[in-house]
């Protein structure tokens, strides 16, 4: 565990590490120092054997540890999405998730996790909403601090990202977010500040975007003055991937590491800038010191003892993934339909069979198994009581070729000779930097052919397609369907990653009869790119059935069963890194499906498989609605746990769910490069309240399987003691939420904000007490005139309850 003080007669571990860092720094020349600050490839920094420094390895999170390869044959645990983790309202569970992730990181030789994401849900349209925690800065900070603590207890570093105001995706490389000092302090910086103060992260990632005219990788004020100066952050600061834009401004703006490599604004360019007198060598030393401190902490610098020498006990990853998922599910409506009574169940929905367990983009990991709702319920329900119908397919596009495909990647040189092969667990190839199949080098590689067989599970017209840029040849069952060049007009360097697959072949196939498939990519990589990435996808879509027929089949199944369970979902094209959402509707004909099923069976339960809010226009017409998020690899098993009543769903909304028409903050598209955060400090529930609008489900809302009566709240000093009783028939767990309402809220100050929370557990009929400490910060506002926090004296109401919309007991205090 962390040792800041040594036993008597020894020097404290922190000081010993600092001494090792200084000694290592003193032994390096300018070129070595500059080289250390630049990625040597996509994920690592160079080793410096002369000082006993091994190569530092970073990897994306936040729900798993992908490792240095983008491949399904390098699997990782996949936990529920960050929105789900936040829905547990349980920093201790977040800590346990972190401990598991550190275990995964160590297994894969990763020293630093590029997580957590603590940007805010400013608008429900944000494409990476699923990857952040909440609209509330306090809840975000508490969950983030738990996560960071857990990962670092496992001896692995964290990189809290994206500093700061990276709350949407549109034009993310160039957007200039105009944010008032007050909104920055009270909202967007607040989670970072809380985490730095309470969990001491070893790293931070500066964002792509600009804030108030300065790009974040060069933001001297926010990085050097606020993060390091005021808050005392002593970790490393790494650029988001390709976010470092200039040598001098970046090093002077406090950026320590420019990623990825090998071509960056640091390395040789930085050494030259020092020699030319443009940059002070002391600025380079400061950055190197930060990197060496990180290396020392994670145990890859000889002579420095790592922070953690006594590793935590091994965690069962699948068990924990399942526990987090059921603790995250939010039951927003229940007219007595759940838990399921005995009887037959008609399970309906494409995502019930092909579950969507995680969000898209750099947060992608490849779990070695996925338990779908169909798998989970099949295992949990008595034989013969479950039927399945597709109902409606939300996937209007092709997806990565996966089920039924058996593929190998064959690499050839310009003469057509095979120089290497690699297994391809699915149709997506992504080789970055030197991560190439054995024996293959970029110099010799001319073509990559994905080749093998496809055995359809359904008869009919199958569509095959290609995602990626460049020259491709697609052959299915001996016929060449495409032999041409795919192009784009986007300037996002990750477009091959986020773009849509192009349909290129429609082929009539018979279920169970294998055919040969082959997709060849001609490798042409420009000379001047910072990293060499070979990325393309063979995509596929099953035969599309008549949508009316699919709905009619589902209705029949629902009518014949005691309960209908419909799983509705978003798709990769709706929620992902790289773009924002245009609306909050469920794709395809899913709303129509739910209405038709509910009309046929009054006992209809809807499971919503999405990482962020969607509109549920039929919500009053169904018997129950359970928000299942992107539930991670064990989602289906956890779903069975809560549907059968073996466990209650434990989640509470970390973000308001409502319609786009009512949502107070919807602008995510810059105009002339600028995105003004005109709403000031009002986002999420504070904005809904200010506008006087009622959402579908308020912040904090979530039902369990028992009832709670709030009896009293007593406040002494800054401590609230809340007495409540489990007035239902089952044991349960309640998230007690404390909101602080100033008597004098005004145009500039929200009517109330979350000031604390705690969990209560009690058996039926039992009463229990929880205490919640209200932090001083809850009484403060950022005073722009004095550029400091101002403690606002006066009268406040402490309001305690089940959500922002369901406050049960209050107390008045004067401070
Ligand atoms: C994302 C980061 C991620 C990095 C490396 C970027 O595009 O914004 O969150 O850590 O890529 O994959």
């Amino acid at each position: 565990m962390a040792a800041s003080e040594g036993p008597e007669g020894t020097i404290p571990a922190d000081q010993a590490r600092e001494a090792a860092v200084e000694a290592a720094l003193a032994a390096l020349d300018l070129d070595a120092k500059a080289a250390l600050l630049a990625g040597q490839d996509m994920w690592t920094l160079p080793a410096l054997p002369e000082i006993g420094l091994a190569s530092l390895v970073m990897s994306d999170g936040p729900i798993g540890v992908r490792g240095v390869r983008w491949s399904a044959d390098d699997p990782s645990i996949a936990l529920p999405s960050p929105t789900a983790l936040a829905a547990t309202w349980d920093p201790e569970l977040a800590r346990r998730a972190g401990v598991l992730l550190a275990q995964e990181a160590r297994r894969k030789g990763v020293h630093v996790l590029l997580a957590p994401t603590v940007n805010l849900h400013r608008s429900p349209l944000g494409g990476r909403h699923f990857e952040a925690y909440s609209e509330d800065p306090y809840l975000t900070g508490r969950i983030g601090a738990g996560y960071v603590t857990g990962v670092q207890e496992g001896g692995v570093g964290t990189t809290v990202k994206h500093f700061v105001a990276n709350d949407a995706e549109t034009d993310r490389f160039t957007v200039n977010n105009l944010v008032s000092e007050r909104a920055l302090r009270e909202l967007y910086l607040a989670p970072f500040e809380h985490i730095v103060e309470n969990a001491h992260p070893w790293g931070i990632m500066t964002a792509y975007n600009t804030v108030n005219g300065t790009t974040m990788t060069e933001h001297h004020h926010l990085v050097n003055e606020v993060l390091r100066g005021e808050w005392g952050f002593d970790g490393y600061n790494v650029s988001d991937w390709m976010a470092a834009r200039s040598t001098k401004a970046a090093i002077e703006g406090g950026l320590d590491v420019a990623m990825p490599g090998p071509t960056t604004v640091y390395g040789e360019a930085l050494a030259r800038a020092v020699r030319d007198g443009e940059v002070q060598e002391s600025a380079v030393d400061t950055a190197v010191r930060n990197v060496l401190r990180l290396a020392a902490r994670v145990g890859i610098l000889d002579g420095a003892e790592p922070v953690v020498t006594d590793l935590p006990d091994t965690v069962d990853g699948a068990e924990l993934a399942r526990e987090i998922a059921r603790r995250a599910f939010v039951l927003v409506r229940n007219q007595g339909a759940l838990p399921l009574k005995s009887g037959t169940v008609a399970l309906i929905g494409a995502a019930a069979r092909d579950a969507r367990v995680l969000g898209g983009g750099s947060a992608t990991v490849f779990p070695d198994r996925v338990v779908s709702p169909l798998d989970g319920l099949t295992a949990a329900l008595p034989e013969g009581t479950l039927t399945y119908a597709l109902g409606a397919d939300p996937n209007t596009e092709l997806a990565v070729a996966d089920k039924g495909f058996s593929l190998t990647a064959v690499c050839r040189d310009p003469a057509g000779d095979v120089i290497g092969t690699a297994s391809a667990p699915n149709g997506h190839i992504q080789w970055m930097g030197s991560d190439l199949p054995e024996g293959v080098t970029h110099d010799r590689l001319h073509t990559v052919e994905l080749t093998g067989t496809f055995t359809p599970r359904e008869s009919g017209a199958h569509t095959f397609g290609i995602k990626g840029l460049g020259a491709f040849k697609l052959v299915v069952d001996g016929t060449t369907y495409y032999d041409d060049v795919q192009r784009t007009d986007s300037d996002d360097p990750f477009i091959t990653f986020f773009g849509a697959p192009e349909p290129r072949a429609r082929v009539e196939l018979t279920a169970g009869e294998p055919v040969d498939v082959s997709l060849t990519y001609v490798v042409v990589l420009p000379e001047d790119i910072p990293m060499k990435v070979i990325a393309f996808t063979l995509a596929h879509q099953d035969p599309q059935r008549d949508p009316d027929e699919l709905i009619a089949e589902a209705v029949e199944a629902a009518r014949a069963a005691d309960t209908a369970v419909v799983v509705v979902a978003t798709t990769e094209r709706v929620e992902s890194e790289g773009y924002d959402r245009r609306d909050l509707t469920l794709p395809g004909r899913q709303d129509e499906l739910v209405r038709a099923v509910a009309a046929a069976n009054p006992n209809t339960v809807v499971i919503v498989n999405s990482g962020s809010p969607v509109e549920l226009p039929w919500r009053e017409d169904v018997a129950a609605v359970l928000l299942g998020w992107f539930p991670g690899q064990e989602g289906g098993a956890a779903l069975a746990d809560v549907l059968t009543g073996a466990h209650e769903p434990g989640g509470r909304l970390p973000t308001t769910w409502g319609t786009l028409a009512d949502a107070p903050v919807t602008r995510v598209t810059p105009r002339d490069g600028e995105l003004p955060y005109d709403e000031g400090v009002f986002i999420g529930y504070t904005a809904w309240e200010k506008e006087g609008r009622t959402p579908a489900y308020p912040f904090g809302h979530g039902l369990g399987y028992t009832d709670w009566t709030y009896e009293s709240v007593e406040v002494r000093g800054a401590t609230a003691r809340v007495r409540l009783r489990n007035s239902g028939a089952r044991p349960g767990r309640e998230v007690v939420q404390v909101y602080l309402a100033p008597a004098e809220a005004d145009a500039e100050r929200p009517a109330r904000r979350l000031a604390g929370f705690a969990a209560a557990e009690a058996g039926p009929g039992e009463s229990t007490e929880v205490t919640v400490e209200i932090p001083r910060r809850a009484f403060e506002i950022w005073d722009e005139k004095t550029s400091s926090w101002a403690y606002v004296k006066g009268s406040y109401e402490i309001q305690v309850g089940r959500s922002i919309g369901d406050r049960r007991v209050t107390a008045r205090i004067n401070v």
Side-chain angles (χ1 to χ4, degrees):
M1 296 290 117
S4 53
E5 276 176 42
E8 238 173 286
T10 64
I11 52 167
D14 280 352
Q15 275 180 32
R17 259 191 306 280
E18 287 304 304
V21 164
E22 290 306 321
L25 175 64
L28 292 175
D29 63 20
L30 175 62
D31 293 315
K33 288 189 281 196
L36 180 62
L37 303 182
Q40 64 177 352
D41 55 27
M42 192 68 183
W43 305 113
T44 71
L45 297 185
L48 296 177
E50 65 269 35
I51 55 165
L53 175 72
S55 167
L56 182 95
V57 181
M58 305 167 228
S59 165
D60 282 313
I63 61 152
V65 184
R66 194 174 53 245
V68 297
R69 299 180 47 213
W70 193 283
S71 165
D73 60 7
D74 186 11
S76 158
I77 191 83
L79 295 177
S81 63
T83 33
L85 191 63
T88 68
W89 288 59
D90 189 345
E92 170 56 19
L93 196 53
R95 188 194 67 80
R96 288 172 54 208
V99 170
L100 167 65
L101 294 168
Q103 177 181 303
E104 279 292 84
R106 291 195 309 272
R107 178 176 71 78
K108 298 181 100 171
V110 167
H111 307 115
V112 181
L113 207 52
L114 301 169
T117 301
V118 301
N119 299 114
L120 295 184
H121 295 163
R122 172 178 172 265
S123 162
L125 293 175
R128 284 179 98 168
H129 201 103
F130 69 89
E131 202 188 314
Y133 293 128
S134 168
E135 66 192 15
D136 181 75
Y138 178 73
L139 179 59
T140 299
R142 292 282 307 273
I143 298 293
Y147 180 102
V148 166
T149 302
V151 174
Q152 294 186 175
E153 271 176 18
V156 172
T158 53
T159 313
V160 188
K161 67 190 188 183
H162 310 81
F163 191 73
V164 61
N166 183 181
D167 310 295
E169 291 295 277
T170 308
D171 298 341
R172 62 184 177 151
F173 285 86
T174 51
V175 61
N176 179 14
N177 292 324
L178 303 177
V179 196
S180 73
E181 197 65 21
R182 180 162 175 187
L184 266 178
R185 293 287 185 155
E186 293 184 19
L187 299 180
Y188 303 100
L189 290 170
F192 290 95
E193 182 183 11
H194 180 93
I195 295 167
V196 167
E197 191 175 327
N198 294 284
H200 311 291
W202 301 343
I204 202 119
M205 182 189 287
T206 33
Y208 289 125
N209 52 276
T210 291
V211 171
N212 298 333
T214 306
T215 195
M216 279 312 304
T217 47
E218 301 171 5
H219 217 299
H220 172 74
H221 168 58
L222 289 176
V223 172
N224 290 332
E225 294 178 354
V226 176
L227 171 70
R228 292 197 188 277
E230 287 179 35
W231 305 346
F233 172 72
D234 68 356
Y236 88 125
N237 167 12
V238 62
S239 71
D240 198 347
W241 267 225
M242 295 172 68
R245 285 153 182 132
S246 70
T247 304
K248 181 176 160 65
I251 196 84
E252 290 177 353
L255 182 76
D256 300 324
V257 175
M259 286 299 286
T263 311
T264 78
V265 298
Y266 286 175
E268 282 167 24
L270 181 57
R272 207 176 315 121
V274 173
R275 289 198 174 100
D276 291 351
E278 279 170 29
V279 165
Q280 301 278 322
E281 189 161 355
S282 59
V284 176
D285 287 352
T286 301
V288 171
R289 200 174 273 122
N290 292 332
V291 175
L292 290 175
R293 183 178 303 120
L294 172 68
R297 284 172 164 165
V298 299
I300 58 165
L301 178 64
D302 280 358
E305 186 175 27
V307 172
V308 176
T309 48
D310 184 9
L311 288 173
D313 292 343
T314 304
V315 181
D316 180 336
E319 244 334 292
L320 184 57
R322 183 169 175 169
E323 181 185 343
I324 295 172
R326 62 184 179 239
R327 287 282 310 282
F329 293 154
V330 184
L331 183 58
V332 289
R333 173 182 171 84
N334 188 12
Q335 304 291 98
L338 292 179
L340 294 173
K341 320 276 172 309
S342 59
T344 53
V345 173
L347 180 64
I348 295 162
R353 183 183 65 179
D354 298 325
R356 181 138 194 255
V357 300
L358 47 79
S362 65
T364 304
V365 296
F366 303 92
D368 64 3
R369 71 168 202 161
V370 167
V371 183
S372 69
L374 180 58
D375 301 330
L377 284 173
T378 303
L381 297 179
E383 224 182 299
T385 60
L386 182 70
T387 61
Y388 173 73
L390 188 86
D393 191 348
N395 294 295
T396 46
E397 284 174 3
L398 289 73
V400 176
D402 192 353
K403 291 205 170 61
F405 286 84
S406 166
L407 299 168
T408 308
V410 179
C411 302
R412 295 189 176 85
D413 66 11
D417 291 330
V418 174
I419 53 174
T421 59
S423 78
N426 62 27
H428 184 57
I429 292 289
Q430 187 150 309
W431 296 332
M432 310 202 220
S434 55
D435 173 28
L436 291 170
E438 213 176 309
V440 180
T441 57
H442 280 289
D443 291 351
R444 292 175 66 208
L445 182 61
H446 180 59
T447 62
V448 181
E449 182 189 7
L450 256 179
T451 174
T453 58
F454 170 56
T455 311
R457 57 181 173 180
E458 284 164 43
S459 297
H462 287 252
T463 311
F464 296 81
I466 308 167
K467 177 151 110 174
L469 303 179
F472 291 96
K473 182 174 176 183
L474 175 65
V475 183
V476 181
D477 203 12
T479 305
T480 300
Y481 287 90
Y482 185 79
D483 194 355
D484 209 337
V485 178
Q486 294 201 148
R487 298 190 168 84
T488 178
D489 52 11
S490 164
D491 58 5
D492 190 318
F494 298 112
I495 191 70
T496 40
F497 196 89
F498 306 127
E502 294 290 340
R504 297 295 183 194
R506 245 169 94 86
V507 191
E508 284 291 334
L509 299 175
T510 310
E513 286 182 15
V515 289
D516 291 338
V517 285
S518 154
L519 176 65
T520 304
Y521 166 57
V522 183
V523 179
V524 186
L525 297 177
E527 282 304 309
D528 57 343
I529 49 168
M531 67 187 149
K532 294 196 171 5
V533 176
I534 295 177
F536 66 95
T537 304
L538 171 65
H540 167 258
Q541 191 178 38
D542 278 328
Q544 294 298 285
R545 299 256 324 273
D546 173 22
D548 292 327
E549 226 174 73
L550 283 176
I551 292 180
E553 261 174 36
V555 166
E556 269 326 298
R559 194 169 283 135
D562 295 311
T563 306
V565 175
V566 188
V567 182
V568 293
T570 58
T571 67
E572 173 107 10
R573 298 296 299 159
V574 175
E575 287 183 77
S576 174
E577 179 178 335
Y579 40 82
D580 291 314
R581 291 201 285 169
R582 281 190 288 271
D583 56 49
L584 305 184
T585 56
L586 285 165
R589 290 175 65 175
Q590 298 183 96
D591 286 334
E592 209 182 314
L593 170 70
V594 175
R595 286 206 169 96
V597 169
N601 188 332
N603 213 24
T604 292
V605 175
V606 180
I607 315 299
V608 184
N609 180 189
S610 73
S612 33
V614 288
E615 289 172 5
L616 312 171
W618 31 257
R619 64 183 194 279
E620 304 285 331
D621 306 328
V622 298
V625 180
L626 181 78
L627 310 183
W629 311 112
F630 295 142
Q633 65 176 58
E634 305 297 319
L639 184 65
D641 289 342
V642 304
L643 293 186
T644 59
H647 292 267
E648 67 172 354
R652 303 291 185 266
L653 282 179
T655 280
T656 311
W657 278 48
T659 61
L660 184 60
D662 284 340
V665 182
T666 53
R667 190 162 155 210
V668 289
T669 305
R671 201 170 302 136
D672 298 328
E674 291 182 344
L675 182 63
Y677 282 30
D678 283 335
E679 68 285 348
V681 297
F682 294 91
I683 64 168
Y685 60 86
T686 64
W688 283 85
E689 289 210 317
K690 185 179 185 214
E691 303 291 330
R693 296 182 195 154
T694 309
Y697 299 112
F699 176 79
H701 174 64
L703 309 166
Y705 287 153
T706 189
D707 279 329
W708 295 90
T709 307
Y710 280 65
E711 293 177 335
S712 63
V713 53
E714 232 180 79
V715 185
R716 263 201 212 111
T719 307
R721 296 164 83 88
V722 183
R723 187 143 270 291
L724 68 165
R725 192 162 43 81
N726 178 345
S727 47
R730 293 178 43 127
R733 183 178 189 279
E734 169 76 337
V735 179
V736 176
Q737 301 163 34
V738 176
Y739 296 90
L740 185 70
E744 281 146 45
D746 52 42
E748 298 287 302
R749 203 171 178 199
R752 73 201 100 248
R753 269 188 188 160
L754 181 70
F757 57 90
E761 284 184 34
E766 272 173 29
S767 91
T768 182
E769 193 174 88
V770 296
T771 55
V772 177
E773 292 297 328
I774 301 171
R776 182 183 166 89
R777 180 55 58 79
F779 298 93
E780 292 179 331
I781 59 169
W782 182 259
D783 183 345
E784 295 193 338
K785 287 198 206 81
T786 59
S787 275
S788 63
W789 290 103
Y791 186 85
V792 186
K793 292 196 172 136
S795 171
Y796 288 84
E797 195 166 66
I798 310 278
Q799 306 174 337
V800 186
R802 310 202 66 188
S803 75
I804 187 92
D806 185 3
R807 306 184 299 273
R808 300 286 181 91
V809 285
T810 61
R812 186 156 288 282
I813 57 165
N814 284 297
V815 296

